C-alpha cells in the first residue's frame, strides 16, 4: 500500500514539474552599459519592473530589489527590453517624463494619496521597487488602466 502511494506521488510530481517550469519563462539577457564607463553588465530583461530617467541616468528596478543605472538612452533600453520579451506600459512621472512599468509586475492601481507630490493622479503598486512600493503618475486611474489594457 505504501509503495503504491509512493509510486502515485512520484508520478504526480513528474507530471506537475513541467507545468511549474513552464510558468517561469527562460532568462533573456541584454547587455547594458552601466554608468561611469564600467564594463557592460548582462541583465535578465524579464526581471525588470520599472525603467525611468533620473539625474541623467536610465534607472532600472528589478525583481531582486536591485537598481541598475545605465548611461544609455531610456528609449534605446526600452526597445531592447521589449525585443527580449518584456511587456511594458508607458506612463508619465511627476516630472512629465516617461516611466515604463512591467505589466506582469503591476499589483494595484489606485487614486493617488496625499503622500504623493502635487500632480500625482494615480499610484501604481509594483512588485520589486527598491525604494518604494508604488509609482505616482500624472494619469488618472482610468487613463492608467486604459494604457495597461492597450499595451502589447
Amino acid at each position: 500500500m505504501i509503495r503504491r502511494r509512493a509510486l502515485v506521488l512520484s508520478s504526480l510530481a513528474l507530471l506537475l514539474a513541467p507545468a511549474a517550469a513552464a510558468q517561469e519563462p527562460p532568462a533573456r539577457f541584454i547587455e547594458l552599459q552601466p554608468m561611469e564607463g564600467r564594463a557592460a553588465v548582462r541583465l535578465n530583461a524579464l526581471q525588470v519592473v520599472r525603467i525611468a530617467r533620473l539625474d541623467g541616468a536610465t534607472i532600472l528596478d528589478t525583481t531582486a530589489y536591485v537598481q541598475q543605472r545605465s548611461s544609455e538612452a531610456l528609449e534605446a533600453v526600452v526597445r531592447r527590453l521589449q525585443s527580449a520579451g518584456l511587456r511594458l506600459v508607458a506612463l508619465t512621472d511627476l516630472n512629465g517624463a516617461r516611466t515604463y512599468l512591467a505589466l506582469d509586475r503591476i499589483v494595484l492601481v489606485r487614486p493617488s494619496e496625499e503622500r504623493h507630490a502635487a500632480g500625482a493622479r494615480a499610484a501604481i503598486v509594483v512588485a520589486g521597487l527598491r525604494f518604494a512600493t508604488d509609482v505616482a503618475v500624472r494619469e488618472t486611474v482610468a487613463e492608467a488602466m486604459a494604457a495597461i489594457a492597450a499595451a502589447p
Side-chain angles (χ1 to χ4, degrees):
M1 182 75 158
I2 293 174
R3 185 176 284 195
R4 179 185 260 170
R5 283 186 184 167
L7 181 59
V8 169
L9 289 175
S10 64
S11 298
L12 184 59
L14 288 173
L15 289 173
L16 294 177
Q23 291 176 357
E24 186 66 32
R28 296 185 187 158
F29 289 89
I30 64 166
E31 192 169 285
L32 188 68
Q33 187 61 47
M35 297 297 293
E36 303 161 0
R38 295 184 179 152
V41 298
R42 274 65 176 182
L43 176 71
N44 183 349
L46 302 181
Q47 298 300 314
V48 172
V49 297
R50 175 177 60 171
I51 307 102
R53 198 80 184 148
L54 180 67
D55 298 329
T58 296
I59 306 294
L60 299 101
D61 284 299
T62 68
T63 59
Y65 301 98
V66 172
Q67 193 176 79
Q68 177 66 48
R69 291 176 174 257
S70 173
S71 59
E72 298 179 58
L74 175 70
E75 297 299 329
V77 174
V78 166
R79 281 192 299 276
R80 290 203 331 268
L81 290 169
Q82 288 174 322
S83 292
L86 184 63
R87 296 178 56 231
L88 298 168
V89 59
L91 296 168
T92 310
D93 69 16
L94 299 184
N95 294 320
R98 278 300 194 209
T99 189
Y100 293 84
L101 304 176
L103 288 172
D104 296 338
R105 302 299 177 183
I106 294 174
V107 177
L108 179 70
V109 180
R110 63 180 176 214
S112 180
E113 300 167 355
E114 292 179 11
R115 66 184 178 92
H116 294 112
R121 295 165 69 193
I124 302 175
V125 177
V126 182
L129 295 179
R130 182 170 181 194
F131 296 111
T133 57
D134 61 8
V135 177
V137 295
R138 290 190 178 270
E139 288 83 1
T140 64
V141 170
E143 292 166 338
M145 291 307 299
I148 289 168

